[in-house]
Amino acid sequence: DGVAQKRVEKFRAYGSYADAFADYARMLSSSPRYRDAAASATDAKAFAESLQKAGYATDPNYAQKLGSVIAKV
């Protein structure tokens, strides 16, 4: 509900960047939650906004921050 919370969560560990990216792509393509984000994957900023809208990021400024990085590339 828009209130910051501190939480300790487990994260996955991977043997390589390739393994991490493959798992990320598998998660996005197989989860109904991220269907809209996957549909906007050709536009990086729209993709980031769709991920945030779907609840991917805990940072309320995730899409804005990612968009800022994308704009520098």
Side-chain angles (χ1 to χ4, degrees), residues 44-45 63-73:
K45 289 183 181 180
Q64 182 273 325
K65 289 176 180 178
L66 190 53
S68 177
V69 171
I70 292 166
K72 293 177 183 178
V73 176

mmCIF file with all atom_site columns, all heavy atoms in Angstrom, residues 44-45 63-73:
data_model
loop_
_atom_site.group_PDB
_atom_site.id
_atom_site.type_symbol
_atom_site.label_atom_id
_atom_site.label_alt_id
_atom_site.label_comp_id
_atom_site.label_asym_id
_atom_site.label_entity_id
_atom_site.label_seq_id
_atom_site.pdbx_PDB_ins_code
_atom_site.Cartn_x
_atom_site.Cartn_y
_atom_site.Cartn_z
_atom_site.occupancy
_atom_site.B_iso_or_equiv
_atom_site.pdbx_formal_charge
_atom_site.auth_seq_id
_atom_site.auth_comp_id
_atom_site.auth_asym_id
_atom_site.auth_atom_id
_atom_site.pdbx_PDB_model_num
ATOM 1  N N   . ALA A 1 44 ? 12.197 -0.581 -24.659 1.00 0.00 ? 44 ALA A N   1
ATOM 2  C CA  . ALA A 1 44 ? 12.831 -0.790 -23.356 1.00 0.00 ? 44 ALA A CA  1
ATOM 3  C C   . ALA A 1 44 ? 12.149 -0.012 -22.232 1.00 0.00 ? 44 ALA A C   1
ATOM 4  O O   . ALA A 1 44 ? 11.950 -0.545 -21.137 1.00 0.00 ? 44 ALA A O   1
ATOM 5  C CB  . ALA A 1 44 ? 14.305 -0.424 -23.429 1.00 0.00 ? 44 ALA A CB  1
ATOM 6  N N   . LYS A 1 45 ? 11.797 1.238  -22.470 1.00 0.00 ? 45 LYS A N   1
ATOM 7  C CA  . LYS A 1 45 ? 11.154 2.028  -21.411 1.00 0.00 ? 45 LYS A CA  1
ATOM 8  C C   . LYS A 1 45 ? 9.756  1.506  -21.095 1.00 0.00 ? 45 LYS A C   1
ATOM 9  O O   . LYS A 1 45 ? 9.371  1.403  -19.934 1.00 0.00 ? 45 LYS A O   1
ATOM 10 C CB  . LYS A 1 45 ? 11.112 3.499  -21.795 1.00 0.00 ? 45 LYS A CB  1
ATOM 11 C CG  . LYS A 1 45 ? 12.483 4.149  -21.762 1.00 0.00 ? 45 LYS A CG  1
ATOM 12 C CD  . LYS A 1 45 ? 12.411 5.620  -22.086 1.00 0.00 ? 45 LYS A CD  1
ATOM 13 C CE  . LYS A 1 45 ? 13.802 6.229  -22.069 1.00 0.00 ? 45 LYS A CE  1
ATOM 14 N NZ  . LYS A 1 45 ? 13.773 7.650  -22.376 1.00 0.00 ? 45 LYS A NZ  1
ATOM 15 N N   . ALA A 1 63 ? 10.986 1.919  -12.773 1.00 0.00 ? 63 ALA A N   1
ATOM 16 C CA  . ALA A 1 63 ? 10.879 2.203  -14.206 1.00 0.00 ? 63 ALA A CA  1
ATOM 17 C C   . ALA A 1 63 ? 11.590 3.513  -14.554 1.00 0.00 ? 63 ALA A C   1
ATOM 18 O O   . ALA A 1 63 ? 12.282 3.595  -15.576 1.00 0.00 ? 63 ALA A O   1
ATOM 19 C CB  . ALA A 1 63 ? 9.423  2.260  -14.635 1.00 0.00 ? 63 ALA A CB  1
ATOM 20 N N   . GLN A 1 64 ? 11.453 4.507  -13.703 1.00 0.00 ? 64 GLN A N   1
ATOM 21 C CA  . GLN A 1 64 ? 12.110 5.798  -13.954 1.00 0.00 ? 64 GLN A CA  1
ATOM 22 C C   . GLN A 1 64 ? 13.623 5.651  -13.923 1.00 0.00 ? 64 GLN A C   1
ATOM 23 O O   . GLN A 1 64 ? 14.329 6.152  -14.784 1.00 0.00 ? 64 GLN A O   1
ATOM 24 C CB  . GLN A 1 64 ? 11.629 6.843  -12.938 1.00 0.00 ? 64 GLN A CB  1
ATOM 25 C CG  . GLN A 1 64 ? 12.201 8.228  -13.132 1.00 0.00 ? 64 GLN A CG  1
ATOM 26 C CD  . GLN A 1 64 ? 13.545 8.418  -12.423 1.00 0.00 ? 64 GLN A CD  1
ATOM 27 O OE1 . GLN A 1 64 ? 13.778 7.882  -11.361 1.00 0.00 ? 64 GLN A OE1 1
ATOM 28 N NE2 . GLN A 1 64 ? 14.423 9.163  -13.052 1.00 0.00 ? 64 GLN A NE2 1
ATOM 29 N N   . LYS A 1 65 ? 14.125 4.913  -12.940 1.00 0.00 ? 65 LYS A N   1
ATOM 30 C CA  . LYS A 1 65 ? 15.573 4.706  -12.813 1.00 0.00 ? 65 LYS A CA  1
ATOM 31 C C   . LYS A 1 65 ? 16.119 3.896  -13.995 1.00 0.00 ? 65 LYS A C   1
ATOM 32 O O   . LYS A 1 65 ? 17.150 4.230  -14.564 1.00 0.00 ? 65 LYS A O   1
ATOM 33 C CB  . LYS A 1 65 ? 15.893 4.002  -11.502 1.00 0.00 ? 65 LYS A CB  1
ATOM 34 C CG  . LYS A 1 65 ? 15.697 4.883  -10.285 1.00 0.00 ? 65 LYS A CG  1
ATOM 35 C CD  . LYS A 1 65 ? 15.942 4.104  -9.013  1.00 0.00 ? 65 LYS A CD  1
ATOM 36 C CE  . LYS A 1 65 ? 15.744 4.955  -7.785  1.00 0.00 ? 65 LYS A CE  1
ATOM 37 N NZ  . LYS A 1 65 ? 15.927 4.183  -6.541  1.00 0.00 ? 65 LYS A NZ  1
ATOM 38 N N   . LEU A 1 66 ? 15.423 2.832  -14.350 1.00 0.00 ? 66 LEU A N   1
ATOM 39 C CA  . LEU A 1 66 ? 15.849 2.015  -15.467 1.00 0.00 ? 66 LEU A CA  1
ATOM 40 C C   . LEU A 1 66 ? 15.785 2.813  -16.766 1.00 0.00 ? 66 LEU A C   1
ATOM 41 O O   . LEU A 1 66 ? 16.696 2.747  -17.595 1.00 0.00 ? 66 LEU A O   1
ATOM 42 C CB  . LEU A 1 66 ? 15.020 0.753  -15.565 1.00 0.00 ? 66 LEU A CB  1
ATOM 43 C CG  . LEU A 1 66 ? 15.489 -0.329 -16.527 1.00 0.00 ? 66 LEU A CG  1
ATOM 44 C CD1 . LEU A 1 66 ? 16.935 -0.718 -16.271 1.00 0.00 ? 66 LEU A CD1 1
ATOM 45 C CD2 . LEU A 1 66 ? 14.592 -1.548 -16.427 1.00 0.00 ? 66 LEU A CD2 1
ATOM 46 N N   . GLY A 1 67 ? 14.733 3.603  -16.915 1.00 0.00 ? 67 GLY A N   1
ATOM 47 C CA  . GLY A 1 67 ? 14.605 4.458  -18.090 1.00 0.00 ? 67 GLY A CA  1
ATOM 48 C C   . GLY A 1 67 ? 15.740 5.444  -18.196 1.00 0.00 ? 67 GLY A C   1
ATOM 49 O O   . GLY A 1 67 ? 16.235 5.745  -19.296 1.00 0.00 ? 67 GLY A O   1
ATOM 50 N N   . SER A 1 68 ? 16.200 5.962  -17.072 1.00 0.00 ? 68 SER A N   1
ATOM 51 C CA  . SER A 1 68 ? 17.325 6.894  -17.046 1.00 0.00 ? 68 SER A CA  1
ATOM 52 C C   . SER A 1 68 ? 18.608 6.210  -17.528 1.00 0.00 ? 68 SER A C   1
ATOM 53 O O   . SER A 1 68 ? 19.374 6.797  -18.284 1.00 0.00 ? 68 SER A O   1
ATOM 54 C CB  . SER A 1 68 ? 17.521 7.444  -15.629 1.00 0.00 ? 68 SER A CB  1
ATOM 55 O OG  . SER A 1 68 ? 18.623 8.275  -15.550 1.00 0.00 ? 68 SER A OG  1
ATOM 56 N N   . VAL A 1 69 ? 18.816 4.984  -17.096 1.00 0.00 ? 69 VAL A N   1
ATOM 57 C CA  . VAL A 1 69 ? 19.992 4.229  -17.539 1.00 0.00 ? 69 VAL A CA  1
ATOM 58 C C   . VAL A 1 69 ? 19.884 3.929  -19.032 1.00 0.00 ? 69 VAL A C   1
ATOM 59 O O   . VAL A 1 69 ? 20.862 4.091  -19.774 1.00 0.00 ? 69 VAL A O   1
ATOM 60 C CB  . VAL A 1 69 ? 20.136 2.924  -16.736 1.00 0.00 ? 69 VAL A CB  1
ATOM 61 C CG1 . VAL A 1 69 ? 21.215 2.024  -17.315 1.00 0.00 ? 69 VAL A CG1 1
ATOM 62 C CG2 . VAL A 1 69 ? 20.426 3.225  -15.267 1.00 0.00 ? 69 VAL A CG2 1
ATOM 63 N N   . ILE A 1 70 ? 18.698 3.542  -19.479 1.00 0.00 ? 70 ILE A N   1
ATOM 64 C CA  . ILE A 1 70 ? 18.488 3.225  -20.896 1.00 0.00 ? 70 ILE A CA  1
ATOM 65 C C   . ILE A 1 70 ? 18.770 4.444  -21.762 1.00 0.00 ? 70 ILE A C   1
ATOM 66 O O   . ILE A 1 70 ? 19.380 4.329  -22.823 1.00 0.00 ? 70 ILE A O   1
ATOM 67 C CB  . ILE A 1 70 ? 17.045 2.719  -21.107 1.00 0.00 ? 70 ILE A CB  1
ATOM 68 C CG1 . ILE A 1 70 ? 16.862 1.367  -20.450 1.00 0.00 ? 70 ILE A CG1 1
ATOM 69 C CG2 . ILE A 1 70 ? 16.695 2.665  -22.595 1.00 0.00 ? 70 ILE A CG2 1
ATOM 70 C CD1 . ILE A 1 70 ? 15.415 0.921  -20.300 1.00 0.00 ? 70 ILE A CD1 1
ATOM 71 N N   . ALA A 1 71 ? 18.364 5.619  -21.310 1.00 0.00 ? 71 ALA A N   1
ATOM 72 C CA  . ALA A 1 71 ? 18.556 6.849  -22.079 1.00 0.00 ? 71 ALA A CA  1
ATOM 73 C C   . ALA A 1 71 ? 20.042 7.176  -22.263 1.00 0.00 ? 71 ALA A C   1
ATOM 74 O O   . ALA A 1 71 ? 20.410 7.843  -23.222 1.00 0.00 ? 71 ALA A O   1
ATOM 75 C CB  . ALA A 1 71 ? 17.839 8.004  -21.401 1.00 0.00 ? 71 ALA A CB  1
ATOM 76 N N   . LYS A 1 72 ? 20.887 6.712  -21.367 1.00 0.00 ? 72 LYS A N   1
ATOM 77 C CA  . LYS A 1 72 ? 22.329 6.985  -21.445 1.00 0.00 ? 72 LYS A CA  1
ATOM 78 C C   . LYS A 1 72 ? 23.041 6.046  -22.408 1.00 0.00 ? 72 LYS A C   1
ATOM 79 O O   . LYS A 1 72 ? 24.174 6.309  -22.775 1.00 0.00 ? 72 LYS A O   1
ATOM 80 C CB  . LYS A 1 72 ? 22.958 6.874  -20.061 1.00 0.00 ? 72 LYS A CB  1
ATOM 81 C CG  . LYS A 1 72 ? 22.487 7.959  -19.127 1.00 0.00 ? 72 LYS A CG  1
ATOM 82 C CD  . LYS A 1 72 ? 23.082 7.785  -17.744 1.00 0.00 ? 72 LYS A CD  1
ATOM 83 C CE  . LYS A 1 72 ? 22.546 8.837  -16.802 1.00 0.00 ? 72 LYS A CE  1
ATOM 84 N NZ  . LYS A 1 72 ? 23.056 8.672  -15.455 1.00 0.00 ? 72 LYS A NZ  1
ATOM 85 N N   . VAL A 1 73 ? 22.397 4.971  -22.794 1.00 0.00 ? 73 VAL A N   1
ATOM 86 C CA  . VAL A 1 73 ? 23.038 3.960  -23.656 1.00 0.00 ? 73 VAL A CA  1
ATOM 87 C C   . VAL A 1 73 ? 22.947 4.351  -25.106 1.00 0.00 ? 73 VAL A C   1
ATOM 88 O O   . VAL A 1 73 ? 22.102 4.915  -25.622 1.00 0.00 ? 73 VAL A O   1
ATOM 89 C CB  . VAL A 1 73 ? 22.412 2.577  -23.441 1.00 0.00 ? 73 VAL A CB  1
ATOM 90 C CG1 . VAL A 1 73 ? 22.991 1.557  -24.385 1.00 0.00 ? 73 VAL A CG1 1
ATOM 91 C CG2 . VAL A 1 73 ? 22.597 2.142  -22.011 1.00 0.00 ? 73 VAL A CG2 1
#
